[in-house]
Amino acid sequence: ERRKADGCFTHLTSAQALADYASLVSHLDPSHVRPVIAFGGSYGGMLSAWFRMKYPGAVAGAIAASAPVWGLPLTQESPGGGNSTTRRRREEKRRSL
């Protein structure tokens, strides 16, 4: 059983998936002429939002439907951790509340 799992992709992380998406976007449009919008629902939505946060230059935007972007209880922080713009906006929002 263990030998079968060694060649399986089920053990990849969301950070690896995001790196793969960035590589794919760069491969399909190396000059970044066409804008790319990431989108998804549920887990795919979380990936699209994290992708925008971790690779802001790779996509023009992200649509995350039904996605608990900031994580679920007892899970790790998002893979990107957010970029400086995201952190600044988050801090501004907290101050305004």
Side-chain angles (χ1 to χ4, degrees), residues 6-77:
D6 288 343
C8 185
F9 293 111
T10 60
H11 302 292
L12 296 177
T13 66
S14 54
Q16 290 168 318
L18 298 178
D20 287 345
Y21 295 154
S23 178
L24 177 65
V25 168
S26 290
H27 176 75
L28 293 175
D29 187 15
S31 58
H32 298 286
V33 174
R34 295 177 210 94
V36 175
I37 304 293
F39 65 93
S42 191
Y43 180 66
M46 291 178 3
L47 287 175
S48 68
W50 290 339
F51 186 56
R52 173 69 173 145
M53 290 165 46
K54 187 162 184 168
Y55 300 95
V59 289
I63 300 170
S66 301
V69 174
W70 300 120
L72 303 169
L74 305 177
T75 62
Q76 297 179 358
E77 186 178 333

